[in-house]
Amino acid sequence: MITLASGLSYFDLKFLGVPRIIATVVFDGPGGAAIIDPGPSSTLPALRATLAGAGLAVADLRAVLLTHIHLDHAGATGTLVHENPALKVFVHEKGAPHLVDPEKLIASATRLWGSEMDRLWGEFRPVPQEALVVLKGGERISEGGRDLEVAYTPGHASHHVSYFSADTGIAFVGDTAGIRLQPGGHIMPPTPPPDIDLEAWRDSLRRIAEWRADTIFVTHFGPHSPVGAHLTEMVSHLELTASLVKASLARPGSDEDREQWFSEELRRELRRRMSESEARAYEVAGRFDLNWRGLARYWRKKEAVFPKQ
């Protein structure tokens, strides 16, 4: 584990054996431990082993704090509650029903990932209703020895929240502030279907900025500062990525052609900025074809509401 502050650490789940793709945060206080985003069930061996190395077990956990319910963040939650029924699970009200009955969530993910579901994510067990602590945003909670502010931060997902630890100055923002796999590295907006909403996303980034955090923690991957520069770059890259997808929709050919053109443009840009292995890691963290699909859906929904004159 890597220490962020007293009683506050994070570690690498080594998703698919690749380092620095999915990070999990651990708060370890006098009243028990809490984790933010336990990751998918496929990485549970790494989670258990790392906790054991820190003298902790699943039985020592008192709370799971989810930023959102996507499988790479929340997939292991039901399995952890099955092992430790005393666990409380904090989740936004729009995501809560899908933890209790994940049928629609699994069906949606299967449309995207197909036969790769089990290899990538493992099982997704339902979470009992009584384990849930349902959030709206605006709450103040205390878990793992820390007081945390909760903000509703949609845009990437309609069920996304972020957490702020004022005493440490760290904001835990899931996917809202993008994918940044190395300190000072490129920031890539993750834009998979079905919930991408650029207007809501911009508002969420402003809401995070209002915390005036010293450090921003993204699940993919780790802590970054200065926060202001990070958020400014994230906004810029979100606009550029959205514009690129919009431009692709005006191109001739099929959606498969447009998706491929967009993906190649992203690959070219990443390889200009970093090594081949680092660029490939971004595709593990956020598939380019799915990023195209999420933004293409967004633009087409807008066109349906506000058709060209």
Side-chain angles (χ1 to χ4, degrees), residues 5-245:
S6 177
L8 174 54
S9 305
Y10 74 98
F11 60 94
D12 190 343
L13 288 173
K14 301 289 178 67
F15 177 62
L16 299 179
V18 182
R20 300 186 66 85
I21 300 295
I22 302 177
T24 291
V25 174
V26 177
F27 298 91
D28 187 12
I35 56 177
I36 298 179
D37 287 355
S41 291
S42 59
T43 58
L44 273 172
L47 185 145
R48 292 191 182 101
T50 305
L51 289 176
L56 295 169
V58 172
D60 298 314
L61 300 177
R62 293 294 172 264
V64 172
L65 283 64
L66 299 178
T67 60
H68 60 302
I69 63 169
H70 289 169
L71 303 189
D72 53 334
H73 294 252
T77 305
T79 304
L80 293 174
V81 175
H82 180 76
E83 292 181 28
N84 178 2
L87 268 177
K88 294 184 292 182
V89 178
F90 291 79
V91 62
H92 188 260
E93 60 183 355
K94 289 187 177 180
H98 300 291
L99 293 184
V100 176
D101 180 4
E103 182 178 354
K104 289 182 179 178
L105 177 65
I106 297 302
S108 177
T110 301
R111 285 194 292 272
L112 299 179
W113 303 100
S115 61
E116 293 287 280
M117 283 284 290
D118 188 63
R119 181 182 74 90
L120 293 172
W121 315 121
E123 69 174 359
F124 192 107
R125 299 187 67 154
V127 177
Q129 180 73 48
E130 58 270 21
L132 298 183
V133 180
V134 177
L135 303 169
K136 292 179 179 291
E139 297 89 351
R140 293 177 183 269
I141 62 176
S142 295
E143 293 296 336
R146 295 285 176 187
D147 295 328
L148 299 168
E149 298 175 28
V150 182
Y152 180 43
T153 52
H156 167 79
S158 64
H159 42 78
H160 201 298
V161 296
S162 298
Y163 303 93
F164 180 50
S165 166
D167 68 317
T168 63
I170 304 173
F172 302 92
V173 298
D175 283 348
T176 302
I179 295 170
R180 190 176 211 173
L181 301 183
Q182 300 290 340
H186 179 74
I187 302 173
M188 184 178 79
T191 60
D195 289 343
I196 300 306
D197 184 327
L198 294 184
E199 289 79 11
W201 206 330
R202 294 183 195 108
D203 288 342
S204 294
L205 290 167
R206 284 192 288 268
R207 192 169 298 120
I208 289 168
E210 288 170 0
W211 274 333
R212 300 190 180 278
D214 299 316
T215 301
I216 202 162
F217 191 99
V218 297
T219 302
H220 317 289
F221 180 94
H224 300 282
S225 59
V227 171
H230 180 108
L231 295 178
T232 297
E233 186 173 342
M234 172 60 189
V235 170
S236 174
H237 289 186
L238 183 61
E239 302 300 335
L240 287 171
T241 305
S243 296
L244 197 59
V245 171

